[in-house]
Amino acid sequence: MNELSDSLSGKVPKLNRLFKFQFEPAQDCYVLLFPEGMVKLNPSASEILLQVNGERTISDIIDALLTKFPDAEGLGEDVFAFFEHAEEKRWINYV
Amino acid sequence: MSEAKHSQPGPPLWLLAELTYECPLHCPYCSNPVNLGSREQECDTDTWLRVLSEARAMGAVQLGFSGGEPLLRKDLEVLVKHASDLGFYTNLITSGIGLTEKRIAALREAGLDHIQLSFQAANADANDLIGNKRHSFEQKLKVAKLVKQYEYPMVLNFCLTAQNIDQIDDVMALSCELDGDYVELATVQYYGWAYLNRDHLLPAKAQLEAAEAKVNAFRAQQQGKSPHFIFVTPDYYEDRPKACMNGWATTFLTVTPDGSALPCHSAKILPLTFPNVKNKSIKAIWREDFSFNHFRGTDWLPSPCKTCDEKEKDFGGCRCQAYMLTGDMYKTDPVCSKSPDHSLMAQAVKNSESPSRELVYRDPKVSIPITEI
């Protein structure tokens, strides 16, 4: 475990109330909507955000994703990197 | 127009529904057309409901309810509910005048996602004078509190002009006090009434630079905290035009109160015939209409744009600006320093130093005498 994962794994992320997360059929992807704007999400980011419910810790989320995608390599690191990015973008904050 | 040329434009991601041009305020910088039309021509509820359904089916996702003042439509809640059920992200763009607690709660219930509240200035005297409505500042403060109380994301919008841009520190302080999530510090763009009043409204270059420096200094000490300030500059002092509306009919669709469908909210001024949603589907308008295809892509570009390596960046700039300033909508936006008409921009700046006509309020019923302030 590195410094980043140590500081994050016990945290409980929730979606920032400024953002709405939904699937867009016309774009064929999940998006984040906010006042007058939209971010298209790639499949990995979407899978991670689908696990965010304001109750699960980041390690719970990693466990859930490992069950769903047992062959994914480096999944934990990807999840930590995503949350670092998501906090910077203000998509999520911590309970 | 050949069909092959524009085989499949992307969806109109952004739908701006201008429900009515009626407004309790009379700001001289209004971007509404100078010819406002009458309320009798406004689309009825069923037409709007159909427009929302059709646009959503094509992939529209952001929806702005705007105007004039959209709150003047009694069916606003019905439209918001339908839009929300369809999965739109719904934005209410309002002056706040008439937004009672009862209505704000009903809109929440209907599924409204966000409220953008406009201010004319950071103090009552200037605010009420610019909007030509007494006690409007006081009402806006109350509305801002309600917006927060009902837990909407709140965007504050300040239109900056030569008259209020020097008070930008007060504007930022008020924005913090009201706890806005995002704040648009938008120097006015010169369309509609604002174009008519441009000589009065255009800030001097020094005013603009001073304001931008203050915004940057303020941001630096915020350390990532809210509100998030967005500073929008006018393009009159630029060397390159804006990629207006992200490119003609690529992303934005405006429907005006009378049902005209436009690729941007000011395109009605152009010598083109635009379709109407009352007798044409959104799909037919977006994909097939002559006006929407007319400036799509880069094939139509004039010289010097045609051979310019930046043509994919700005698509020749704004068609309305080219038309208003040069009288020819096919020309390069004169903001571009490569345009043969670029000297018009310097001329506009020079004219603003000594306006040749009086400042007029938008469609005034009664004017607050200027001498009162």
Side-chain angles (χ1 to χ4, degrees):
Chain A
M1 296 288 264
N2 61 29
E3 223 174 281
L4 174 65
S5 53
D6 278 347
S7 66
L8 283 182
S9 53
K11 285 188 169 180
V12 178
K14 67 173 171 60
L15 197 65
N16 180 343
R17 62 174 189 91
L18 291 175
F19 294 89
K20 208 168 152 179
F21 173 59
Q22 70 183 37
F23 186 76
E24 274 298 293
Q27 312 284 332
D28 194 26
C29 68
Y30 280 88
V31 298
L32 281 172
L33 299 167
F34 53 100
E36 301 183 25
M38 175 174 85
V39 181
K40 288 193 202 181
L41 297 170
N42 64 31
S44 342
S46 309
E47 287 294 341
I48 298 169
L49 275 181
L50 281 167
Q51 301 294 330
V52 171
N53 64 359
E55 286 170 17
R56 292 191 184 126
T57 62
I58 291 183
S59 28
D60 295 340
I61 289 170
I62 294 173
D63 290 346
L65 289 169
L66 279 173
T67 311
K68 201 168 168 186
F69 304 101
D71 301 332
E73 276 179 40
L75 187 142
E77 281 159 37
D78 287 350
V79 173
F80 289 123
F82 170 79
F83 279 111
E84 201 185 26
H85 179 72
E87 189 187 11
E88 195 183 298
K89 293 279 181 191
R90 308 205 300 171
W91 299 342
I92 57 117
N93 37 46
Y94 293 106
V95 174
Chain B
M1 187 121 297
S2 71
E3 278 180 30
K5 197 169 159 190
H6 311 290
S7 47
Q8 276 300 328
L13 287 175
W14 230 118
L15 174 63
L16 186 68
E18 295 185 328
L19 298 182
T20 177
Y21 282 144
E22 284 287 306
C23 187
L25 302 185
H26 305 282
C27 311
Y29 57 67
C30 185
S31 64
N32 281 170
V34 174
N35 179 7
L36 292 165
S38 71
R39 289 211 75 173
E40 289 79 63
Q41 297 166 309
E42 283 181 9
C43 293
D44 60 15
T45 308
D46 286 345
T47 304
W48 278 118
L49 292 174
R50 178 175 57 79
V51 165
L52 299 181
S53 299
E54 289 177 357
R56 179 66 184 145
M58 289 191 69
V61 60
Q62 284 283 346
L63 170 62
F65 288 108
S66 174
E69 175 48 68
L71 290 166
L72 291 173
R73 286 282 298 219
K74 294 197 172 63
D75 55 1
L76 180 61
E77 287 79 352
V78 174
L79 302 180
V80 168
K81 170 82 169 61
H82 185 61
S84 179
D85 290 347
L86 289 169
F88 272 111
Y89 188 90
T90 51
N91 305 273
L92 175 66
I93 300 160
T94 178
S95 69
I97 308 301
L99 194 49
T100 57
E101 179 160 7
K102 196 177 155 194
R103 251 189 131 182
I104 222 166
L107 287 165
R108 178 94 272 194
E109 184 66 31
L112 181 64
D113 288 304
H114 147 236
I115 295 181
Q116 181 191 120
L117 177 63
S118 71
F119 277 85
Q120 281 63 52
N123 67 75
D125 286 346
N127 185 87
D128 297 358
L129 177 67
I130 293 170
N132 190 31
K133 185 163 175 68
R134 289 175 209 273
H135 311 301
S136 53
F137 187 71
E138 203 182 311
Q139 289 182 52
K140 283 164 187 281
L141 294 181
K142 278 187 198 152
V143 167
K145 286 201 182 87
L146 284 171
V147 172
K148 295 302 288 190
Q149 189 187 318
Y150 280 80
E151 295 184 329
Y152 287 97
M154 180 166 75
V155 175
L156 302 174
N157 177 283
F158 292 86
C159 279
L160 302 176
T161 65
Q163 286 72 34
N164 63 8
I165 195 167
D166 295 337
Q167 284 90 51
I168 200 155
D169 280 331
D170 297 343
V171 165
M172 289 187 286
L174 177 65
S175 304
C176 294
E177 198 184 312
L178 297 176
D179 196 16
D181 294 300
Y182 299 88
V183 181
E184 294 179 359
L185 305 168
T187 41
V188 165
Q189 308 286 314
Y190 301 97
Y191 300 95
W193 293 86
Y195 185 68
L196 200 67
N197 286 316
R198 185 190 65 193
D199 289 355
H200 294 271
L201 301 174
L202 183 66
K205 197 171 186 194
Q207 276 186 302
L208 203 63
E209 285 170 354
E212 190 160 20
K214 284 178 188 170
V215 175
N216 287 338
F218 198 92
R219 280 190 190 126
Q221 55 82 41
Q222 272 186 298
Q223 295 173 326
K225 281 197 206 103
S226 280
H228 180 73
F229 287 101
I230 302 153
F231 189 65
V232 185
T233 55
D235 52 7
Y236 274 56
Y237 297 107
E238 303 291 333
D239 291 330
R240 288 291 177 273
K242 55 188 178 256
C244 202
M245 310 317 281
N246 197 35
W248 180 270
T250 62
T251 315
F252 290 88
L253 172 63
T254 298
V255 179
T256 69
D258 72 358
S260 298
L262 309 173
C264 84
H265 61 276
S266 97
K268 197 74 185 279
I269 62 164
L270 299 174
L272 273 175
T273 305
F274 288 99
N276 194 294
V277 300
K278 286 174 184 164
N279 52 34
K280 215 170 174 187
S281 74
I282 297 295
K283 194 171 174 178
I285 288 170
W286 187 257
R287 297 217 175 137
E288 296 156 21
D289 196 85
F290 177 84
S291 63
F292 278 69
N293 282 326
H294 206 51
F295 294 118
R296 267 198 178 119
T298 51
D299 289 352
W300 68 273
L301 284 173
S303 179
C305 302
K306 213 177 243 317
T307 53
C308 179
D309 58 8
E310 293 170 84
K311 69 178 174 188
E312 299 288 347
K313 255 194 197 154
D314 56 43
F315 321 106
C318 171
R319 292 306 86 222
C320 300
Q321 198 147 274
Y323 181 66
M324 287 188 295
L325 274 80
T326 74
D328 183 350
M329 67 174 172
Y330 296 96
K331 283 195 167 175
T332 299
D333 186 333
V335 163
C336 188
S337 61
K338 297 180 188 178
S339 156
D341 302 301
H342 186 59
S343 63
L344 290 170
M345 308 316 294
Q347 189 58 47
V349 171
K350 194 159 187 288
N351 291 351
S352 70
E353 288 160 13
S354 51
S356 58
R357 51 182 299 168
E358 301 256 300
L359 178 79
V360 292
Y361 279 117
R362 178 203 128 129
D363 189 31
K365 303 291 187 289
V366 188
S367 295
I368 297 178
I370 301 282
T371 50
E372 265 192 27
I373 305 296

